[in-house]
Amino acid sequence: MTLHTGHIAPATFAVSQVRCEKDHVRSRDCAYQVAWNINPHMKPGAVAWRRACTQHREFLRALREAGAAFFELPFVHGAFDSVFAKDNAVLVSQEGELRALLATMRHGQRRNEQLARARWLSARGFDVIEPPRVHIEGGDVAMLPAGRGALLGWGMRSTQRAAGVLEAFLSAPVTPLELCDPYLYHLDTALTVLSDGTALVCPEAFTPESLRMLARTEGIQQVVPIAREDALAFGLNLVEVGNTVIVGARVPRVEAVLRGLGRRPVSVRLDQFHLAGGSAACLVARVHTLPPLSARRFREEQEQDGVQSLSA
């Protein structure tokens, strides 16, 4: 399906399928599994396939019931982590155009996804932008409310220099935050920013200077600390849709915080995806709506930062 900006719902996401379409002979490479070890959570061979399918369907049902819209991207044959759609690209809608900043993955096991993702996003109406050769992954990006910019986690997967690339793409300031806990290797495992500017944060995941920078970032209204134990249970890897917040596990203390902030937490069991190091936020890529920006200014900033379009 091709998307048009005029039809973008307030909460629209890209979601990956969990297995290949039936257009070739089935093999073990046709479905989500954990086949390698590129983060401390990964347990190769541990996934129960039918349970993973059921959990994924329940997750999509929770998204629909919360009022979200989504479009599906195909599973990339042999690229088992392609189910984690957020990592592949940062998606935005701006001034009647859809754009995607394609990620540059640190690990070779994940680079195999990117050509297929670029083609499919382009077919769905996105202008796909390839960054200069710096590592940047979608799981390290947290957008700030009202188009005020973004946060970029760096140190484990993305590099600090990627903050400049993201700034050029968004035409908005980006605060780089250094991650220091290998178990909280992506920003979205250690932090989430709600639509009112509340940041739920695991302090142990960041350097002291990064915590100070976060507190000073425009658009962050308050910082609420979350225990490392709850972050390791993927309690911060959540999806906000209106007043509903979907969490991929039962994490009572995080749920209590969310209720205290006036949100309605919904728990959907996603433990089969935890075995690969991901949860609710990793499984979707939100199409972020940005404030207007003239096309000329966007092109000028692209040229200045050496960003090259793949869709041209």
Side-chain angles (χ1 to χ4, degrees), residues 73-113:
L73 298 171
F75 180 81
V76 182
H77 183 81
F80 310 114
D81 291 344
S82 64
V83 296
F84 299 119
K86 183 180 179 184
D87 294 332
N88 298 127
V90 179
L91 308 179
V92 300
S93 167
Q94 186 176 43
E95 286 195 320
E97 295 183 353
L98 296 166
R99 295 187 286 116
L101 178 64
L102 195 67
T104 303
M105 305 295 199
R106 181 173 293 275
H107 292 289
Q109 293 92 331
R110 297 217 62 182
R111 293 176 201 145
N112 295 334
E113 305 166 35

Side-chain angles (χ1 to χ4, degrees), residues 145-225:
R148 291 189 178 94
L151 308 173
L152 175 77
W154 66 275
M156 304 293 169
R157 296 292 186 86
S158 302
T159 61
Q160 188 175 16
R161 286 199 306 126
V165 173
L166 187 59
E167 280 189 344
F169 177 72
L170 300 175
S171 289
V174 172
T175 301
L177 303 174
E178 185 177 5
L179 295 163
C180 60
D181 185 335
Y183 283 86
L184 301 170
Y185 62 97
H186 267 160
L187 185 66
D188 62 12
T189 64
L191 170 152
T192 192
V193 180
L194 300 176
S195 57
D196 64 357
T198 298
L200 309 184
V201 180
C202 173
E204 293 89 341
F206 300 92
T207 63
E209 176 57 25
S210 291
L211 290 174
R212 289 190 288 270
M213 290 173 63
L214 174 65
R216 296 195 300 265
T217 298
E218 183 180 359
I220 297 296
Q221 300 303 316
Q222 62 174 325
V223 175
V224 178

